[in-house]
Amino acid sequence: MTARDLVAHVARFSRALREASVRTSLSDEVDAVEALSRVDLSDRDEVRRALRISLKIGPREAEAFDALFERWWSAAEARRREPRPDPPKPIPVKRPGRVPEPARAPRELEVERPQGDAPSWSREAVLRRKAFDECGPAELAAMEALVSRLVLRLATARSRRLVPTRGRGRVDPRRSFRAAVATDGEFLRLARRARAIEEARLVVLCDTSGSMDPHVRFVLAFLLALKKAARRTELFAFNTSLVRLTPWISAGKLRPTLERLSAAVPGWSGGTRIGECLMEFVSRHRDEMVGPRTVVVVVSDGLDRGETDLVGKAMRAIRSRARRIVWLNPLLSDPRYEPTAKGMAAALPFVDVLAPAHNLESLERLLPLLAA
Amino acid sequence: MKEEIRAMQDAMERFGYIAEPEIATAVFLAKEMGKPLLIEGDAGVGKTEVAKVLARILDTELIRLQCYEGLDVQTALYEWDYPKQILRVRLGEDEGRSADEIESVIYSRDYLLERPILRAITRSEPPVLLVDEVDRADDGFEAFLLEVLSDFQVTIPELGTVRAERPPFVVLTSNRTREIGDALRRRCLYLYIEHPSLEKEVRILRARVPGASERLAAEIGRFVQALRARQLLKTPGVAESIDWAQALVRLHREHLDVETVERTLGCILKDRHDMADVGGEALETMVGEAVAMG
C-alpha cells in the first residue's frame, strides 16, 4: 500500500466514524496516517490499536469503533467504494464508580436539619417545609424574601484559585517586588492574593408540562431569585418545544414576571417531549452556554411522551461539557417514588445529583451544588 | 506485530511492567512520533507507572508535575527566588554598584527557581515529563499546558525565551473526573487502560511480588476479578491487588481463607459501604470460589 492509499483510506474511515457519531478531526487523521506508517499493516490487531491510539478513541466510543473497524477491514480489500454502516445505537455508559452514590444522596439528606445559618424563628421554619402546592399568596411573598437572602450564599462561594486582592490574603512576592520598584526598592506595601469568588454559571431547563404545573411556579420563583445572585443564569422552558426565557426575566416582582413567562411559553401545561427539547438545546445553545464551570439544572418529572432514546443522547452531550448536572424532580418527595419513568431512567446515568424540589428546604440544600 | 513494538513490550516487562500490546504500541508510537501520550483509566490501573517505566527504559530522569485545583503557572513553570534577590540588592547597594549591574545579576539563571515544566525543557538529555491527574487542574491551566506542549518553549520576560533543544517525552494521566478539553486531547496520542484480565493480573502479581506463590497469586487474582464484577463505589485496581499480595506475603499466607481475607480486606476495599457490601456470606462464597477454581 502506498502512502497516498493510506491517506485516502484513513480519510474515508474517519468520515465513516463521524457518520457513526465518533468524533475525529483532521489533525487526528494526520496522526493516524503517521502512526500507521510505523506499524505492521498486515497485522489487523496492530492496525486497530494504532488507529485507536491516534484517533483518540475513548472507552465510550470503543464499541462503535471496533464494530466499524471489523466491517471496514473485511470489506477493504474486496471493494473500494465507501461502506455506509448503520449508526450504532447510543451506548448508555455509566461513569465508573460515581453513578449510584449521588442519586441516593439527596434522600439521605432528607432527615437532616436545615443548614448552618438557617434563621430559627418559627414562621420561616414552617415555610421551609411547606410543600409548594399548599401555599397562599402571602406565604409566597414571604418565601420570595427568604429565597433572596439564601442565594447570597451562592454568590459568595470561593474557588481554590488565587487572585490579586487588596488587604487580606497571602503575600504575593512577584507583585510585591514589582510594586517595590516604584518606591526605590522599599516594600511600602505588600501585594496579596486570596481565593477568588467565582460567580456561579447556571443553565436551567424547566419542564412546564401539565404534570409539572403545581411545582413549576415555585421552582421558577427560586430560579428568578437565583438570577439576582448569579447573573449569568440562562433559563429555558420546554414542553413540546424549547423556549429561551432569559430575555423575559427582569429584576423586580415575581408575579408580573411569571405572567409574562406564561404568555411567552406556547402550550404551557401541555404534554412533554423531553428528548426532542433537550436535543434542540444541545444543537442550538450548548456550545455557547455550557462550559467546564457551568452547572446544568433540569427541572422535570421525567414523564415523557416523545422518544426516550433522545433523552439519553442529549444528556450525554450535555454531560461531556458541563461541570455538573442537577436534576430536580418534584415527584421525588414521595417516598414511594422510584425513578422508573422512561425519560427519567434514560437520563439517570448522566445525572450527578437527583434531588427533590417540592419545598423551600429541598431547594435550599441545592445551593452548594449550584456554586461554581 | 512489528519488531520494535515487541521490543518495547519486552523492555517494559523487564522493568516489571506487564504491558498489553495496546500499551506497548501507544508508548512506541508516542516515542517515535514525538507526541505527548494522554492515558485515561480508573484509579490504580497503572497509568502513572507507564511514565515511570518509560523513564527507566530510556534511562532518563522522570520529572513529575502533580496537578490539583488551583495549580498556577508559578508552581508549574518558574518563580524568581525573591528573598535571595532582595539580599543581593542590599549587598550590591552597600558595595556601591550601579542599578544596571545589580539588575543583570538578580535576573539571571542563578536566581531562578525552576519548576517541573521549565526543568523538563532545559535538560540537555530529554527527560520524561509526567503531568499527573491533569483532570484536577482547572481549564485555565489546561490552556497553558496546551501552549507549552505545542512548541516546548517558555518566555520569561526578564530572561528571554527558553526553548527545549530536544523536547521531553510527555505523559499525561487523567482519572476522568472531568472530560479533558478537546484541544488538549487532539494534541496527544490517546490510551485507555482497562482493568487487566485474570491471566495478566496473575503475571503482574508474580512480577511485582516475587514472594507470592503461583497459587496465592492466582487466588488473589480470581478474588479481585470477582470483586470488580460487583457494583462497588471504589473498584480496586491492580495497585490494590499488589498491596494485598504484599500484605499476605508478610503474613506468611500461602493461600486465601475467609478469616485472613476478612482481616486484610482493608488493603483492597477503601470504602466503608463496599466493605459492608462484600462482608458475611458473600465473602465466604467469593473466597470459596477463588480457592476452588485453582
Side-chain angles (χ1 to χ4, degrees):
Chain A
M1 197 187 294
T2 65
R4 179 179 250 161
D5 284 347
L6 204 57
V7 171
H9 268 287
V10 167
R12 280 204 299 266
F13 183 63
S14 185
R15 181 155 19 121
L17 276 176
R18 281 194 288 271
E19 277 167 18
S21 59
V22 175
R23 282 181 304 166
T24 56
S25 71
L26 190 60
S27 71
D28 297 339
E29 291 174 35
V30 174
D31 287 348
V33 172
E34 202 185 334
L36 286 182
S37 71
R38 290 166 199 274
V39 299
D40 180 359
L41 287 177
S42 61
D43 183 337
R44 165 214 200 96
D45 285 334
E46 189 154 308
V47 170
R48 184 176 52 83
R49 288 195 287 266
L51 281 175
R52 269 176 77 153
I53 291 162
S54 53
L55 292 172
K56 292 98 188 170
I57 304 300
R60 289 179 197 177
E61 298 137 0
E63 205 173 302
F65 173 88
D66 285 350
L68 190 58
F69 180 80
E70 285 308 310
R71 219 174 312 176
W72 190 272
W73 183 271
S74 41
E77 274 132 24
R79 54 200 161 98
R80 291 267 153 170
R81 67 192 165 78
E82 188 190 318
R84 291 203 168 263
D86 307 326
K89 290 191 196 78
I91 315 145
V93 183
K94 288 196 172 179
R95 292 195 302 149
R98 290 193 55 183
V99 177
E101 188 188 32
R104 230 185 284 136
R107 284 257 185 98
E108 289 170 7
L109 285 174
E110 204 68 28
V111 286
E112 265 183 22
R113 57 180 178 74
Q115 278 187 345
D117 50 342
S120 58
W121 55 296
S122 61
R123 190 160 154 260
E124 281 196 358
V126 171
L127 270 184
R128 272 161 201 260
R129 289 176 178 277
K130 189 154 188 173
F132 289 142
D133 37 4
E134 300 160 9
C135 289
E139 285 167 318
L140 253 187
M143 214 174 255
E144 241 183 284
L146 186 55
V147 163
S148 41
R149 275 219 319 279
L150 291 176
V151 294
L152 271 180
R153 273 219 305 268
L154 182 66
T156 51
R158 284 184 185 270
S159 93
R160 301 206 57 83
R161 232 154 36 93
L162 296 176
V163 295
T165 50
R166 290 170 175 279
R168 286 174 299 174
R170 70 172 78 149
V171 174
D172 177 357
R174 186 175 282 206
R175 280 171 49 248
S176 302
F177 211 76
R178 277 263 165 262
V181 170
T183 49
D184 205 16
E186 293 302 330
F187 288 86
L188 296 182
R189 175 169 288 155
L190 291 177
R192 289 171 191 277
R193 295 159 83 82
R195 287 170 60 183
I197 294 178
E198 302 276 4
E199 192 178 322
R201 290 181 203 176
L202 299 176
V203 171
V204 181
L205 299 156
C206 191
D207 187 343
T208 57
S209 60
S211 56
M212 288 288 291
D213 217 21
H215 311 281
V216 84
R217 226 188 121 82
F218 305 95
V219 176
L220 274 180
F222 175 71
L223 294 170
L224 291 180
L226 271 183
K227 174 93 178 149
K228 286 181 200 156
R231 273 163 301 146
R232 305 179 66 156
T233 300
E234 286 285 343
L235 182 59
F236 292 84
F238 65 90
N239 37 58
T240 50
S241 60
L242 183 79
V243 186
R244 179 161 175 250
L245 294 181
T246 317
W248 301 89
I249 304 171
S250 58
K253 285 283 172 249
L254 176 65
R255 186 174 293 274
T257 311
L258 279 176
E259 272 157 21
R260 270 205 307 280
L261 287 185
S262 42
V265 178
W268 184 286
S269 304
T272 336
R273 289 147 61 87
I274 302 179
E276 284 84 344
C277 292
L278 290 183
M279 256 346 258
E280 195 184 338
F281 171 76
V282 168
S283 57
R284 285 180 48 194
H285 303 288
R286 182 193 69 165
D287 289 356
E288 84 190 83
M289 289 179 186
V290 182
R293 285 186 206 284
T294 317
V295 177
V296 176
V297 183
V298 183
V299 187
S300 171
D301 51 15
L303 299 176
D304 189 13
R305 303 222 179 121
E307 277 193 56
T308 327
D309 277 359
L310 279 180
V311 177
K313 204 170 160 201
M315 289 297 286
R316 186 199 296 194
I318 297 173
R319 171 71 268 168
S320 71
R321 289 290 179 86
R323 177 188 182 95
R324 190 179 285 135
I325 299 185
V326 177
W327 190 296
L328 298 182
N329 189 339
L331 299 183
L332 218 58
S333 63
D334 184 341
R336 288 161 304 179
Y337 174 79
E338 291 287 333
T340 47
K342 269 195 298 177
M344 191 68 246
L348 209 55
F350 306 100
V351 172
D352 293 287
V353 180
L354 176 65
H358 60 292
N359 62 20
L360 201 54
E361 197 183 343
S362 60
L363 291 180
E364 192 183 344
R365 274 198 221 104
L366 281 175
L367 285 173
L369 297 172
L370 301 181
Chain B
M1 192 191 277
K2 208 164 182 179
E3 254 338 284
E4 288 103 316
I5 298 178
R6 188 174 301 282
M8 175 59 77
Q9 197 176 9
D10 293 344
M12 291 178 84
E13 189 159 344
R14 263 203 307 287
F15 287 106
Y17 193 99
I18 312 292
E20 272 141 353
E22 268 87 6
I23 301 175
T25 311
V27 172
F28 166 77
L29 285 175
K31 182 170 146 288
E32 288 296 304
M33 292 164 68
K35 294 202 116 201
L37 178 62
L38 170 64
I39 308 180
E40 291 191 324
D42 285 353
V45 292
K47 300 185 291 291
T48 306
E49 215 58 33
V50 171
K52 291 185 183 166
V53 165
L54 181 61
R56 291 177 65 185
I57 290 175
L58 301 170
D59 191 21
T60 181
E61 189 184 358
L62 174 74
I63 297 175
R64 179 174 182 160
L65 175 65
Q66 172 69 48
C67 296
Y68 51 87
E69 198 182 341
L71 173 66
D72 53 14
V73 175
Q74 282 97 311
T75 326
L77 199 55
Y78 73 93
E79 181 76 300
W80 288 104
D81 190 345
Y82 299 106
K84 199 171 160 190
Q85 281 180 325
I86 291 168
L87 287 174
R88 182 66 225 165
V89 170
R90 294 278 141 98
L91 276 173
E93 280 169 355
D94 292 346
E95 290 165 8
R97 301 205 185 192
S98 75
D100 286 348
E101 269 180 288
I102 297 177
E103 198 182 309
S104 68
V105 174
I106 64 168
Y107 285 117
S108 65
R109 279 282 172 96
D110 288 347
Y111 293 81
L112 193 67
L113 299 173
E114 292 184 342
R115 304 292 193 213
I117 291 183
L118 186 62
R119 213 174 335 134
I121 63 175
T122 49
R123 291 291 135 107
S124 52
E125 277 301 305
V128 173
L129 172 64
L130 166 64
V131 184
D132 217 358
E133 304 191 333
V134 66
D135 50 331
R136 293 192 186 206
D138 34 45
D139 40 321
F141 185 78
E142 206 175 274
F144 159 76
L145 205 55
L146 189 64
E147 194 188 322
V148 173
L149 292 184
S150 49
D151 19 298
F152 292 108
Q153 65 174 36
V154 164
T155 302
I156 302 171
E158 298 87 347
L159 263 186
T161 300
V162 183
R163 186 190 298 271
E165 285 167 37
R166 293 164 64 197
F169 304 99
V170 184
V171 176
L172 302 102
T173 74
S174 158
N175 283 334
R176 294 177 71 91
T177 56
R178 74 181 170 86
E179 210 118 322
I180 302 300
D182 242 15
L184 184 57
R185 181 183 288 267
R186 300 275 165 242
R187 187 80 58 189
C188 307
L189 294 181
Y190 177 86
L191 172 67
Y192 183 81
I193 303 187
E194 313 235 11
H195 287 293
S197 63
L198 173 63
E199 181 255 349
K200 187 189 163 191
E201 184 148 28
V202 174
R203 280 178 64 209
I204 294 173
L205 287 172
R206 297 279 287 154
R208 296 297 294 269
V209 192
S213 64
E214 180 83 48
R215 176 173 174 202
L216 182 64
E219 287 178 5
I220 293 175
R222 280 194 292 271
F223 187 82
V224 175
Q225 296 271 335
L227 271 184
R228 282 194 202 119
R230 300 172 80 97
Q231 281 279 328
L232 296 175
L233 293 173
K234 296 219 185 320
T235 308
V238 189
E240 273 82 15
S241 31
I242 292 175
D243 281 352
W244 195 30
Q246 268 159 354
L248 292 172
V249 168
R250 287 282 162 85
L251 295 171
H252 305 292
R253 296 298 141 125
E254 294 289 319
H255 62 93
L256 295 184
D257 57 71
V258 174
E259 197 192 344
T260 315
V261 173
E262 262 171 3
R263 288 190 186 166
T264 53
L265 205 55
C267 297
I268 36 174
L269 291 183
K270 311 286 173 74
D271 186 279
R272 192 167 57 87
H273 296 289
D274 287 348
M275 289 256 212
D277 236 30
V278 173
E281 263 176 54
L283 186 82
E284 274 174 42
T285 327
M286 283 169 75
V287 173
E289 278 169 9
V291 175
M293 278 196 289

